Amino acid sequence: MRSGEVPVLLSPAAARPTRRHGRWAGWLIVPPVLLALAVLIPVWAHDARLDEMVRRVTSFPLPPRTTWADPRPQGSVGLQAGNGNRCDYIVRISLTTSLSGQEIADYYRGSPLSGKVYVEQDAPEGGSRGVVVEFTEMHDPGWDLRCH
């Protein structure tokens, strides 16, 4: 101790840090966190499956005389129609082609990616037309609230 300093004596109770919130703070925080995880983990799992489906769709070669109209596919997860206990995955791609809608449908029918084909009707014969191809899959909904 240096000269001129006054020693300060603390009682044992004053030396311990005080706990303002006590034990109840953990009980107030933990349940909402667990509930949030119970809701978010199934959502993350279905989103990862949808991303894998998008990867499969975009890595499959395009039909001949066909190009991307929009290189960004659209994807969605959820119960799309009806009241079934399932989770529908939908991936839509927009293409420009000189093939007919039937030729596009036949091309995808022979692949592991079967889907519906929507064709722009007012394109001139032999000219380019817009085509939307929609691929769907169904999976178990699990606890994902979007699928119930």
Side-chain angles (χ1 to χ4, degrees):
M1 201 160 30
R2 292 187 239 167
S3 67
E5 286 186 12
V6 178
V8 177
L9 299 176
L10 297 175
S11 69
R16 282 188 305 233
T18 59
R19 294 173 70 178
R20 294 184 119 182
H21 302 292
R23 293 181 212 174
W24 296 105
W27 291 108
L28 295 174
I29 294 171
V30 171
V33 169
L34 291 177
L35 181 62
L37 288 176
V39 170
L40 291 176
I41 288 174
V43 169
W44 294 334
H46 281 286
D47 287 348
R49 276 189 183 166
L50 178 66
D51 289 344
E52 173 58 25
M53 184 178 170
V54 168
R55 189 199 60 74
R56 284 185 286 134
V57 166
T58 56
S59 67
F60 195 78
L62 293 178
R65 301 188 319 264
T66 303
T67 60
W68 291 98
D70 184 354
R72 298 166 297 176
Q74 299 173 348
S76 62
V77 174
L79 185 59
Q80 303 298 326
N83 60 357
N85 190 24
R86 67 178 192 277
C87 204
D88 300 326
Y89 294 31
I90 297 177
V91 175
R92 292 176 195 88
I93 57 174
S94 299
L95 306 173
T96 302
T97 185
S98 60
L99 300 176
S100 70
Q102 187 60 48
E103 290 171 312
I104 296 288
D106 290 343
Y107 178 82
Y108 283 110
R109 187 174 296 120
S111 75
L113 305 169
S114 61
K116 297 177 187 173
V117 176
Y118 302 95
V119 181
E120 185 180 302
Q121 296 298 327
D122 59 354
E125 190 59 39
S128 292
R129 70 185 83 225
V131 176
V132 174
V133 185
E134 180 179 278
F135 304 95
T136 59
E137 287 184 2
M138 288 182 265
H139 294 278
D140 179 55
W143 287 57
D144 192 334
L145 299 176
R146 298 174 294 178
C147 304
H148 292 279

